[in-house]
Amino acid sequence: MLESLLALGGLVLLRDSVEWEGRSLLKVLIKKSALRGEQVHVLGCEVSEEEFREGFDPEINSRVVYHDFFRDPLNWSKTGEAFPAGPLAALRAVCRRTAPGPATIALDSLSWLLLHLPCTTLCQTLHTLSPQGSCPGASTPAEQVHVLGLLHEELHGPGPVGALSSLAQAEVTLGGTAGQASAHVLHRRPQQRPTNKTHWFSILPDFSLDLQEGPLLESQLHPDPHTHLVDPMAHLTFNLHLSEKEREARDSLTLPFQFSSEKQQALLHRRPGPASSHIFSEPDAYDDLDQEDPDDDLDI
């Protein structure tokens, strides 16, 4: 699952909800990228750096470069630690400064960016990191830049969510049942049909992923012995089954469009006689018999 999400360049969209948060899965993917030897840059807007780094071992934290936009997002303190032009300028700068080799950029979160920036500007910036786009001045090919974007889709309408979805090479929609988390993964590969797959998992305290089997429904675990099957044809006003006598009567019935031997003989060997026919018509009070003005009755 992790290898397939990080195999393609471009945007991987993590769609979470209030019930099923996605920051933990984002940190799982960040850890996986760091262990692969990639550069990892995190644009943090929703939580502090200390909270985000919590749970990572020192080796992983040493490989993660955190760009803090949580403490001073608009650079009001003028300390120079944040980019004056905002997170998108930082994203472009990170793209330009990445050393040769694959890199991972984590956006925590896209929802914060959508609430503070125009959707078109954000989508245009993300498009430059996709395999179809190009990152200006980047030292790495676009297909080697992985962008992990966390999106709280309940905060946005269908327009922004659909725009980001169209840019994503992979979408992970978090859900679950019976207290067990699931991830519905949609992959879009070039010149191939999109693929869908659902994974059941749990996240360990060290942000490792434990893949599991899907949970059984309660009805499967404990079937009700008093459950009776309901006959769907019990209260119908017509009968769908035929008795033996009714079936014989149906088979012996001659349908109107079927030609029996008697009908064939009658049509082939007609009796000789004068062939004449007459039409008898009796006009009523409303018939128009005026041939010179046939539309007289229309009162035109």
Side-chain angles (χ1 to χ4, degrees), residues 171-188:
E171 292 185 62
V172 182
T173 304
L174 297 175
T177 184
Q180 188 172 351
S182 67
H184 181 76
V185 181
L186 171 63
H187 264 296
R188 298 185 181 95

Side-chain angles (χ1 to χ4, degrees), residues 27-28 30-32 34-35 50 52-64 204-208:
K27 297 174 74 170
V28 169
I30 289 174
K31 177 182 177 180
K32 186 68 177 178
L35 293 178
E50 294 76 13
F52 190 88
R53 290 183 179 273
E54 185 178 357
F56 286 145
D57 56 44
E59 181 183 2
I60 300 299
N61 276 323
S62 64
R63 301 181 182 180
V64 174
L204 303 179
D206 63 344
F207 294 107
S208 298

Side-chain angles (χ1 to χ4, degrees), residues 2-299:
L2 295 179
E3 288 75 7
S4 60
L5 288 178
L6 299 175
L8 297 175
L11 175 64
V12 176
L13 196 62
L14 304 179
R15 303 169 60 165
D16 70 352
S17 60
V18 174
E19 186 177 1
W20 303 97
E21 62 89 18
R23 184 168 289 110
S24 297
L25 183 59
L26 177 66
K27 297 174 74 170
V28 169
L29 298 176
I30 289 174
K31 177 182 177 180
K32 186 68 177 178
S33 298
L35 293 178
R36 287 162 54 129
E38 298 183 9
Q39 307 172 69
V40 180
H41 295 265
V42 179
L43 271 66
C45 306
E46 287 190 349
V47 298
S48 64
E49 180 177 358
E50 294 76 13
E51 181 179 350
F52 190 88
R53 290 183 179 273
E54 185 178 357
F56 286 145
D57 56 44
E59 181 183 2
I60 300 299
N61 276 323
S62 64
R63 301 181 182 180
V64 174
V65 180
Y66 192 89
H67 304 272
D68 191 358
F69 290 92
F70 173 78
R71 181 172 50 183
D72 188 12
L74 301 179
N75 197 27
W76 285 355
S77 62
K78 303 298 181 181
T79 59
E81 297 178 3
F83 287 83
L88 292 187
L91 181 60
R92 299 186 187 100
V94 167
C95 182
R96 288 192 298 267
R97 295 175 185 177
T98 50
T104 296
I105 301 174
L107 305 177
D108 184 18
S109 68
L110 285 172
S111 293
W112 190 96
L113 296 175
L114 280 175
L115 295 176
H116 292 80
L117 299 169
C119 180
T120 54
T121 304
L122 177 60
C123 290
Q124 289 171 358
T125 304
L126 293 175
H127 177 68
T128 61
L129 302 177
S130 66
Q132 293 78 19
S134 60
C135 191
S139 58
T140 58
E143 62 268 12
Q144 290 184 316
V145 178
H146 308 104
V147 182
L148 307 175
L150 180 61
L151 180 68
H152 314 310
E153 60 176 339
E154 293 175 331
L155 300 179
H156 313 286
V161 174
L164 291 173
S165 176
S166 64
L167 292 175
Q169 275 66 51
E171 292 185 62
V172 182
T173 304
L174 297 175
T177 184
Q180 188 172 351
S182 67
H184 181 76
V185 181
L186 171 63
H187 264 296
R188 298 185 181 95
R189 295 180 174 86
Q191 300 179 352
Q192 295 184 19
R193 296 184 60 182
T195 58
N196 295 272
K197 192 172 183 180
T198 300
H199 303 270
W200 299 89
F201 67 94
S202 62
I203 298 176
L204 303 179
D206 63 344
F207 294 107
S208 298
L209 203 64
D210 181 21
L211 295 178
Q212 301 172 351
E213 296 290 337
L216 294 176
L217 299 177
E218 188 67 22
S219 59
Q220 296 174 335
L221 295 174
H222 305 288
D224 188 1
H226 303 289
T227 301
H228 300 284
L229 295 178
V230 178
D231 186 5
M233 298 180 292
H235 304 288
L236 295 179
T237 58
F238 54 89
N239 188 13
L240 296 179
H241 303 288
L242 297 177
S243 62
E244 189 65 27
K245 291 184 178 180
E246 291 172 339
R247 189 175 292 105
E248 293 178 357
R250 181 196 63 182
D251 296 338
S252 61
L253 180 64
T254 302
L255 299 178
F257 54 83
Q258 291 180 339
F259 281 92
S260 62
S261 58
E262 291 81 2
K263 285 186 177 182
Q264 293 178 0
Q265 294 296 327
L267 292 175
L268 294 176
H269 305 283
R270 292 187 176 183
R271 295 181 180 179
S276 62
S277 61
H278 302 277
I279 299 177
F280 298 94
S281 175
E282 183 177 353
D284 55 19
Y286 297 100
D287 283 345
D288 185 10
L289 302 178
D290 189 357
Q291 300 297 330
E292 295 183 358
D293 189 7
D295 298 329
D296 182 43
D297 59 331
L298 299 180
D299 295 331

